[in-house]
Amino acid sequence: MASDVVEEIETLLGRQAVEDLDLEALELAVRQHVLQLAGAAVEQRLNADTSDERGSRTCCGCGQPARFAGRRTKQVESVLGPLRLERAYYHCASCGHGYCPRDQHLGIENTSLSPALTRMTGTVGALVSFQEGSALLTELAGVAVEAKQVERTAEALGKEIAEDERVHTEPLDALSLPQTLYLGMDGTGIPLRAEELVARTGKQPDGSAKTGEVKLCTIWSAESLDEEGIPIRDEGSVTYSAALESASALDTAARSPFAQRVWREATRRRFCQAPRRVVLGDGAPWIWNIADEQFPEAVQIVDRFHAKQHLSDLGKALYGPTAPRAAQWAERRKKELDTGKFRALLTAIRRQVCRSEDARRCLHYFQTNRHRMCYPDFH
Ligand SMILES: [Zn+2]
């Protein structure tokens, strides 16, 4: 094959002097040729092997015999370009099922993409739009995958990953058990396409949804300190599990899909075995419901960033979004929060309640979450 390649390049270049070459055009053309040669060689090698003909009959999944019905060709898109693969085909007269045993071995069952191309496609499908993914694959890898196929592959991989996450809950022994483990829960709305919104109830007047809520469970440790002695997340200790799932159960006796996800992630991380356990949230009630039910011994803490965000927002609502007084007011409240002067904080907010509905809501938030905001005690 090496001599083939040299010959091809010679043909491409002709007698041109190096100075006259368009190197970019040359690179791309040579890559295409080399891929074609390699693809043809792989195709030839695979098709020469007919060991997948295991006699005239095999056993079909239904228990009845399947009859050998010749070799069939399938076009598979690979990172080397298209491959025409010939495989032994078996057909079962009882149930009508036909299959090629080799497809399973090669990982090309129910797909026209090779395993390596499936992985590449999944990678771009997870990062950019399916249209952009298709264009990137052509530009970067020199392979043709249509946008629709990027979408199908990304979705199939997504389903596989989701299934794998549900099935595998064995603890991750590679991560050591620290003194304190933190479990954070959060939810955030994301826009969805029309077909994904079917059957989701939402906040629109007619009960339909325009966005879905992605819920996230994060587990980490924070044994290390930064330069100022403030605990920071330990590198490599963070794991995530997220899905478009509801935190409310249809049946009150059952755990919601997201609560089950949290439980699986906690099992994997051995959360309940850590000497000290902390659940962090933004203050949304569903978070504390899951925490109360599944980790009653864990310390509950409102994420300090979220709590402070509430104070900044209230300052702006009271004095105007750009007023210096808004920032001053919020800064004083944040200091009270940090230093545990909770009574002073509540008094300051309460003073605004008569003139502001935002203040009333904010007061309620800080009152209900008070025991989760004793920041000086949490260190
Ligand atoms: Zn059958």
Short mmCIF file of all heavy atoms in Angstrom, two decimals, residues 59-66 91-97 99, ligand 1:
data_model
loop_
_atom_site.label_atom_id
_atom_site.label_comp_id
_atom_site.label_asym_id
_atom_site.label_seq_id
_atom_site.Cartn_x
_atom_site.Cartn_y
_atom_site.Cartn_z
N CYS A 59 -29.18 -20.76 15.07
CA CYS A 59 -30.37 -20.67 15.89
C CYS A 59 -30.85 -19.21 15.94
O CYS A 59 -30.09 -18.31 16.27
CB CYS A 59 -30.07 -21.18 17.29
SG CYS A 59 -31.57 -21.49 18.23
N CYS A 60 -32.10 -19.01 15.59
CA CYS A 60 -32.67 -17.66 15.63
C CYS A 60 -33.02 -17.32 17.09
O CYS A 60 -33.16 -18.20 17.93
CB CYS A 60 -33.92 -17.62 14.76
SG CYS A 60 -34.82 -16.06 14.85
N GLY A 61 -33.14 -16.06 17.38
CA GLY A 61 -33.50 -15.61 18.72
C GLY A 61 -34.82 -16.20 19.21
O GLY A 61 -35.04 -16.37 20.40
N CYS A 62 -35.71 -16.56 18.26
CA CYS A 62 -37.02 -17.09 18.63
C CYS A 62 -36.95 -18.58 18.99
O CYS A 62 -37.94 -19.17 19.41
CB CYS A 62 -38.02 -16.88 17.50
SG CYS A 62 -37.78 -17.98 16.09
N GLY A 63 -35.75 -19.17 18.83
CA GLY A 63 -35.60 -20.59 19.19
C GLY A 63 -35.68 -21.52 17.99
O GLY A 63 -35.28 -22.67 18.06
N GLN A 64 -36.16 -21.02 16.87
CA GLN A 64 -36.26 -21.83 15.66
C GLN A 64 -34.98 -21.68 14.83
O GLN A 64 -34.23 -20.72 15.02
CB GLN A 64 -37.48 -21.37 14.83
CG GLN A 64 -38.82 -21.56 15.53
CD GLN A 64 -39.08 -23.03 15.84
OE1 GLN A 64 -38.93 -23.90 14.98
NE2 GLN A 64 -39.42 -23.30 17.10
N PRO A 65 -34.73 -22.64 13.92
CA PRO A 65 -33.52 -22.50 13.10
C PRO A 65 -33.65 -21.40 12.04
O PRO A 65 -34.74 -21.18 11.52
CB PRO A 65 -33.38 -23.88 12.44
CG PRO A 65 -34.74 -24.48 12.48
CD PRO A 65 -35.45 -23.88 13.66
N ALA A 66 -32.52 -20.71 11.78
CA ALA A 66 -32.46 -19.72 10.70
C ALA A 66 -31.57 -20.29 9.60
O ALA A 66 -30.52 -20.87 9.88
CB ALA A 66 -31.90 -18.42 11.23
N HIS A 91 -31.79 -16.26 7.58
CA HIS A 91 -33.20 -15.89 7.64
C HIS A 91 -34.00 -16.98 8.34
O HIS A 91 -33.80 -18.16 8.11
CB HIS A 91 -33.76 -15.68 6.22
CG HIS A 91 -35.16 -15.19 6.22
ND1 HIS A 91 -36.24 -16.03 6.05
CD2 HIS A 91 -35.66 -13.94 6.41
CE1 HIS A 91 -37.35 -15.31 6.13
NE2 HIS A 91 -37.04 -14.05 6.35
N CYS A 92 -34.89 -16.55 9.24
CA CYS A 92 -35.73 -17.50 9.98
C CYS A 92 -37.12 -17.49 9.38
O CYS A 92 -37.79 -16.46 9.37
CB CYS A 92 -35.77 -17.11 11.46
SG CYS A 92 -37.05 -17.96 12.40
N ALA A 93 -37.56 -18.64 8.87
CA ALA A 93 -38.88 -18.73 8.23
C ALA A 93 -40.00 -18.63 9.26
O ALA A 93 -41.08 -18.14 8.95
CB ALA A 93 -38.98 -20.03 7.45
N SER A 94 -39.72 -19.07 10.49
CA SER A 94 -40.77 -19.08 11.52
C SER A 94 -41.21 -17.67 11.90
O SER A 94 -42.41 -17.39 11.95
CB SER A 94 -40.30 -19.80 12.77
OG SER A 94 -39.84 -21.08 12.44
N CYS A 95 -40.22 -16.79 12.21
CA CYS A 95 -40.61 -15.46 12.68
C CYS A 95 -40.33 -14.37 11.65
O CYS A 95 -40.67 -13.22 11.85
CB CYS A 95 -39.91 -15.13 14.01
SG CYS A 95 -38.15 -14.84 13.85
N GLY A 96 -39.71 -14.75 10.54
CA GLY A 96 -39.47 -13.77 9.49
C GLY A 96 -38.27 -12.87 9.73
O GLY A 96 -37.99 -11.97 8.95
N HIS A 97 -37.52 -13.14 10.81
CA HIS A 97 -36.38 -12.30 11.16
C HIS A 97 -35.16 -12.67 10.34
O HIS A 97 -34.86 -13.86 10.16
CB HIS A 97 -36.10 -12.48 12.66
CG HIS A 97 -34.91 -11.72 13.15
ND1 HIS A 97 -34.80 -10.36 13.00
CD2 HIS A 97 -33.79 -12.12 13.80
CE1 HIS A 97 -33.66 -9.97 13.53
NE2 HIS A 97 -33.03 -10.99 14.03
N TYR A 99 -30.91 -11.73 9.72
CA TYR A 99 -29.80 -11.01 10.37
C TYR A 99 -28.45 -11.49 9.89
O TYR A 99 -28.31 -12.59 9.34
CB TYR A 99 -29.90 -11.15 11.89
CG TYR A 99 -29.78 -12.56 12.38
CD1 TYR A 99 -28.57 -13.04 12.89
CD2 TYR A 99 -30.86 -13.43 12.31
CE1 TYR A 99 -28.45 -14.35 13.33
CE2 TYR A 99 -30.75 -14.74 12.76
CZ TYR A 99 -29.53 -15.20 13.27
OH TYR A 99 -29.43 -16.49 13.68
ZN ZN B 1 -37.00 -16.70 14.34
#
